[in-house]
Amino acid sequence: MLKQSLIEQIDAAGPLPFEAFMEAALYDPEGGFFAAGPLRSAPEGDFLTSSEVSPAFGETLARFVAAERDRLDHPPGFAVVEAGAGSGSLLGPLLAAIEPRPEAWAVEASPAARRALVDVVGEHRVVGSLGELSGPLPGVIIANELVDNLPMALAVKTGDGWQERWVGVTGGELELVARPARPAVTDWCRRFAGNVSEGGMVEVQLAAYHWMGSALSALAAGSLVVIDYGGTAEELEPRRTQGTLRTYRAHHLGPDPLAEPGATDITADVNFTALAAAAEELRASVELHRQDDFLARWGLRDRLSELRDIELELAKGDDAIARLQVRSQVTDIETLLHPRGLGDFRVMVAARS
Ligand SMILES: C[S@@+](CC[C@H](N)C(=O)[O-])C[C@H]1O[C@@H](n2cnc3c(N)ncnc32)[C@H](O)[C@@H]1O
């Protein structure tokens, strides 16, 4: 069992930085939540993403992708890549809605998800990491609810500056232990933690910062679109007392992250100020939107109005099944746009020309 093997490893070699613990809990080939389990982003799995809620999410992103292809003047080899593509519920509707269909790639850490993605993009276009793409591509890379899973360090503000929390073992159980902050952690906190009061906890998203570099390097031209929960450093400040680290399992908040490594998702709100800085250092131009605004800009509110009109027309006839089907599409789109739910997610577009 993963927990026991982590306890033995820590007993033998000492505490682990939190990001090393999180890496094992999510990606250990034998017991990691994503690497070893079934498909996680599905109704019978652990969470429902925007793409799982409605195909209109991928269809709306298709309009953005088509506009990017126009902006780049239809370059040969224009491609759509989804990083952390899950079941393919984003890529499938996106590819069905765009003519001519661009080359498409799915990047996935989970073998169960990779199997599902073969049906969406074909066997040779499903890869385990961005490095396996065929060189820098012109196109669009999309990551929906991926970056919140990239391993993070944990830092706490003290009267003397920053301290870290590593994972140690006491009485045979995993627990957080205080450690001096490493220079990279202190530097990240100085730049991106915002105003944190004493005792406040910050998830230090160093891997996300480096992932931005890998993703932008995989793009010869085009845009990287990162969609997730979170906000700017300033918007996250009110959440800095307890921090935002949490687990999910079977569509509910799960136990403490140390309780059952490998059996729960581990996640935290994404610091978009840090992601934007990483993109700007690589000379990408960055826009940050709320998800409801971004989807509206690419036509989702128009689609909603159309469907409401169709529903009204159907209400005059006697095809109750057809009317209920349209009602259900309307409700799902309203969920994507809900200002205190999925609409409050952030969409960062980092463009390279
Ligand atoms: C919350 S799901 C989102 C799935 C999909 N993007 C969607 O919109 O439904 C996160 C997905 O990212 C995958 N994943 C997590 N970390 C990854 C990584 N480092 N590289 C590639 N895929 C990863 C997981 O296996 C999972 O399928």
Side-chain angles (χ1 to χ4, degrees), residues 324-345:
L324 282 175
Q325 280 167 344
V326 175
R327 172 98 292 264
S328 149
Q329 290 178 53
V330 165
T331 311
D332 292 345
I333 293 177
E334 285 169 346
T335 304
L336 295 182
L337 294 168
H338 195 289
R340 287 189 303 283
L342 290 170
D344 188 39
F345 278 34

Side-chain angles (χ1 to χ4, degrees), residues 170-287:
T170 306
E173 276 302 321
L174 296 172
E175 69 161 21
L176 292 180
V177 294
R179 277 287 180 281
R182 292 163 289 170
V185 168
T186 309
D187 188 48
W188 190 98
C189 289
R190 185 182 52 73
R191 295 180 67 195
F192 307 122
N195 203 357
V196 183
S197 42
E198 205 172 316
M201 170 86 87
V202 174
E203 303 83 23
V204 181
Q205 296 170 347
L206 290 172
Y209 190 85
H210 295 305
W211 181 87
M212 288 293 297
S214 320
L216 283 167
S217 312
L219 269 184
S223 289
L224 167 63
V225 182
V226 178
I227 309 168
D228 226 309
Y229 32 82
T232 60
E234 196 179 0
E235 287 165 339
L236 294 176
E237 277 176 11
R239 303 175 212 171
R240 287 300 173 220
T241 322
Q242 307 285 329
T244 67
L245 191 75
R246 56 195 181 272
T247 65
Y248 284 103
R249 176 167 59 194
H251 303 284
H252 294 285
L253 276 174
D256 182 275
L258 301 188
E260 297 176 48
T264 66
D265 184 19
I266 303 180
T267 179
D269 289 353
V270 171
N271 185 320
F272 280 93
T273 300
L275 296 191
E280 280 163 355
E281 279 162 26
L282 292 161
R283 284 176 291 160
S285 59
V286 174
E287 289 176 11

Side-chain angles (χ1 to χ4, degrees), residues 23 26-27 33-35 38-42 47-53 57 82-91 106-114 117 127-130 142-151 211 227-229 265:
E23 172 90 38
L26 297 184
Y27 303 111
F33 180 75
F34 288 121
L39 192 57
R40 301 296 185 178
S41 52
F47 28 74
L48 277 189
T49 60
S50 294
S51 340
E52 296 288 336
V53 166
F57 188 68
E82 189 184 0
S87 68
S89 57
L90 191 162
L91 264 183
V107 181
E108 241 305 325
S110 148
R114 283 204 294 270
L117 288 160
V127 295
S129 71
L130 286 167
I142 300 172
N144 183 46
E145 292 199 43
L146 162 72
V147 169
D148 65 274
N149 286 131
L150 299 180
W211 181 87
I227 309 168
D228 226 309
Y229 32 82
D265 184 19

